[in-house]
Amino acid sequence: MDQIEREAKQHTDLTRRYFLKLGAAGVGAISTSRLWAREKESQVHPLLTEAISKLEYLTREENFTTYGRGDPPPHKLPVEKHREAGLVRETWQLEVLPDPDSNAKVEKPLSKTEGTALNWDGLMKLAEKHAVRFMSVTTCTNGRFPCGMGLWEGVPLREVVWLARPTSNVRRLFYYGYHNDDPKQRFQSSLPIGRVFEDPPGEHPIILCYKLNNQWLTIDRGGPVRMIVPDAYANKSVKWLQCIMLTNDYQANDTYALWNNDTVSHIKTCARFIHTPKKIKAREPAPITGVAQVGMSGLSKVQYWLHPKEESLPKDDPYFTKAEWKDADLLPPPDKWGGGLPDGKLPAVPRQIDAVTGKPKQWPIRNTIVHWATLITVERPGRYDLRCRTIDANGAAQPMPRPFPKSGNNKIQSVQVVVEK
Ligand SMILES: Nc1nc2c(c(=O)[nH]1)N[C@H]1C(S)=C(S)[C@@H](COP(=O)(O)O)O[C@H]1N2
Ligand SMILES: [Mo]
């Protein structure tokens, strides 16, 4: 049993005792009003049951989409180079330094030259006391589909920043990973210092992450240690992390900004298709499944709209706000979470999970995904465009009319469906 599990157990025991005393039942029950009640599942159409059975909530490590710059990108380095590059646990080190181009005051820098850099043992020592686990989705600002849905474990970044004893003139920090010792290959991100020290209620700390889905972080995923910023697009989640600079610079100096990206955008809410039929028969039901990203504005609904190709699209309504959207079903929390976890069981205990009931405290969970499904039946043969969108937790259709893909792609997806006689 590791530290997180021990604490979870303690908390569970205490809470159980408390509720036993009160004689309360049904602790932490989640609202299922919008969801399929479990007992109704037997009435779900077999076609839909089959389509849904193929969905896995957590993404297996090997199924993540990988983006990594460098020549070669660190995960493509020959294995014999990993040790020398600090890309294995035994040789990994993290520096926390004052930015030499600013007047930041840092009393105890963690520095390689002074032999004070944080190493793996140091990180594991911090983990014993401070480790956290949470689920969060990684999505590229420019990606049409999430890179992956992970259960991440790590030490809050603030614990390591405090070790360096910053005292004044620190307004931001920036950080980067291994980059073949070539400044031109550096992929750097930055954060305001306030976000590092505090988390809004219900949000998670930014972590120095060393585990995905309860396994050590592989080099493909940015191991041994990467940053995970749970409420931002993945460009903030720098992989192969080796250096953090504390700075008095008040401006973002992210590499990604130089490539025309908005680097401070929170994750947007949007819907995507997973399975749609290319051809269906008129009047016969066909299953559709998809995934929705639950961004900063939350999610209340996923909707779809089937539009005959020969009918013209509404004028002056590029986001189809007046179309006849229909509600799809959001799937409830899974019994088996996937991601290669043995028997699909979550380890104790991700921050979004109630330690007593083992169920999510809320559903869907912000900054994660939720699967959705529906059965469509079409009367009239022909060619159709099938689209999906979301309604966020504020009741706003997403995407709302704003043409800013560089703040995060949340375009309305469209696929074709042919309906045959
Ligand atoms: N060191 C480093 N970290 C990086 C990048 C990179 O090129 N180098 N790309 C970033 C971007 S833009 C994205 S979208 C994510 C992708 O994370 P993944 O490969 O684990 O899916 O990594 C981020 N971290
Ligand atoms: Mo990205």
Side-chain angles (χ1 to χ4, degrees):
M1 207 188 282
D2 68 15
Q3 182 63 21
I4 305 180
E5 283 162 358
R6 269 197 301 278
E7 270 171 24
K9 187 163 180 315
Q10 244 170 28
H11 170 78
T12 315
D13 292 349
L14 276 174
T15 322
R16 267 215 194 98
R17 250 177 279 150
Y18 176 71
F19 278 102
L20 278 178
K21 251 196 277 171
L22 287 180
V27 182
I30 55 164
S31 152
T32 51
S33 57
R34 290 195 310 270
L35 310 172
W36 301 352
R38 285 267 160 209
E39 56 272 21
K40 278 207 203 129
E41 250 175 39
S42 53
Q43 296 159 23
V44 173
H45 197 286
L47 281 173
L48 210 47
T49 313
E50 198 208 321
I52 290 166
S53 71
K54 296 192 180 123
L55 305 172
E56 255 199 356
Y57 190 80
L58 294 172
T59 308
R60 288 164 194 256
E61 189 278 333
E62 64 273 20
N63 294 340
F64 270 66
T65 308
T66 300
Y67 297 99
R69 284 86 190 177
D71 184 20
H75 65 288
K76 292 275 161 75
L77 280 168
V79 184
E80 61 274 16
K81 288 267 160 73
H82 292 180
R83 176 166 285 274
E84 169 198 331
L87 292 169
V88 296
R89 298 197 286 276
E90 295 74 28
T91 59
W92 174 79
Q93 291 187 75
L94 176 69
E95 295 192 288
V96 182
L97 306 170
D99 173 11
D101 295 330
S102 109
N103 59 355
K105 292 234 161 50
V106 179
E107 280 179 356
K108 290 197 110 190
L110 312 184
S111 132
K112 280 186 191 169
T113 49
E114 288 172 33
T116 54
L118 184 73
N119 62 15
W120 181 258
D121 287 346
L123 183 67
M124 288 303 103
K125 221 175 225 121
L126 288 170
E128 274 173 27
K129 222 170 151 193
H130 302 290
V132 292
R133 284 185 190 131
F134 54 76
M135 294 185 273
S136 95
V137 65
T138 49
T139 303
C140 179
T141 310
N142 300 299
R144 281 180 298 151
F145 206 86
C147 296
M149 175 63 227
L151 168 66
W152 309 96
E153 178 181 325
V155 169
L157 169 59
R158 54 180 160 262
E159 300 303 335
V160 174
V161 171
W162 281 134
L163 284 184
R165 294 218 197 125
T167 53
S168 61
N169 295 340
V170 177
R171 283 184 274 179
R172 297 184 65 84
L173 50 76
F174 60 91
Y175 46 96
Y176 51 85
Y178 181 75
H179 53 282
N180 300 313
D181 302 318
D182 173 3
K184 284 208 278 305
Q185 296 183 33
R186 195 193 270 181
F187 187 88
Q188 177 173 302
S189 287
S190 73
L191 288 165
I193 197 73
R195 177 61 190 92
V196 176
F197 290 147
E198 287 139 6
D199 316 314
E203 195 48 80
H204 311 292
I206 291 159
I207 57 171
L208 302 173
C209 169
Y210 50 79
K211 271 190 182 180
L212 166 63
N213 298 342
N214 216 22
Q215 300 292 324
W216 296 124
L217 202 61
T218 60
I219 192 162
D220 282 1
R221 287 280 66 65
V225 179
R226 80 181 289 178
M227 200 73 89
I228 288 288
V229 183
D231 50 339
Y233 280 97
N235 56 284
K236 293 281 185 200
S237 296
V238 164
K239 296 181 281 190
W240 313 292
L241 184 71
Q242 298 191 339
C243 185
I244 298 172
M245 291 279 185
L246 304 176
T247 184
N248 199 18
D249 189 350
Y250 57 89
Q251 288 167 324
N253 54 0
D254 300 41
T255 305
Y256 221 43
L258 304 175
W259 306 340
N260 198 30
N261 293 294
D262 172 358
T263 62
V264 290
S265 178
H266 291 267
I267 291 177
K268 287 177 178 170
T269 294
C270 61
R272 298 289 177 250
F273 292 111
I274 292 177
H275 172 83
T276 60
K278 293 221 162 46
K279 273 187 191 163
I280 57 177
K281 286 232 153 70
R283 291 176 295 279
E284 282 183 18
I288 289 171
T289 60
V291 63
Q293 180 167 285
V294 185
M296 177 176 74
S297 58
L299 176 112
S300 64
K301 276 180 185 181
V302 171
Q303 299 184 312
Y304 64 97
W305 170 43
L306 204 60
H307 181 75
K309 262 193 182 306
E310 77 259 14
E311 283 176 24
S312 57
L313 287 169
K315 284 218 173 66
D316 307 322
D317 187 18
Y319 295 88
F320 314 115
T321 54
K322 294 177 200 120
E324 282 173 49
W325 295 95
K326 292 199 173 119
D327 294 352
D329 285 298
L330 297 182
L331 301 198
D335 289 327
K336 300 199 178 204
W337 292 82
L341 292 168
D343 202 27
K345 259 187 81 169
L346 290 174
V349 66
R351 287 166 52 99
Q352 296 109 328
I353 300 292
D354 184 301
V356 177
T357 63
K359 301 240 154 59
K361 296 172 186 166
Q362 259 157 15
W363 194 259
I365 304 170
R366 193 153 37 97
N367 297 326
T368 70
I369 59 154
V370 64
H371 285 118
W372 56 274
T374 195
L375 268 189
I376 54 165
T377 313
V378 190
E379 290 294 316
R380 204 152 42 89
R383 300 166 86 77
Y384 290 81
D385 287 320
L386 176 64
R387 293 182 171 84
C388 60
R389 72 167 186 183
T390 46
I391 305 292
D392 72 18
N394 300 312
Q398 294 291 354
M400 55 166 78
R402 57 173 169 178
F404 293 133
K406 296 305 271 182
S407 291
N409 184 325
N410 68 341
K411 208 164 130 179
I412 292 178
Q413 194 187 353
S414 170
V415 296
Q416 300 190 23
V417 179
V418 175
V419 180
E420 295 178 326
K421 267 196 208 110

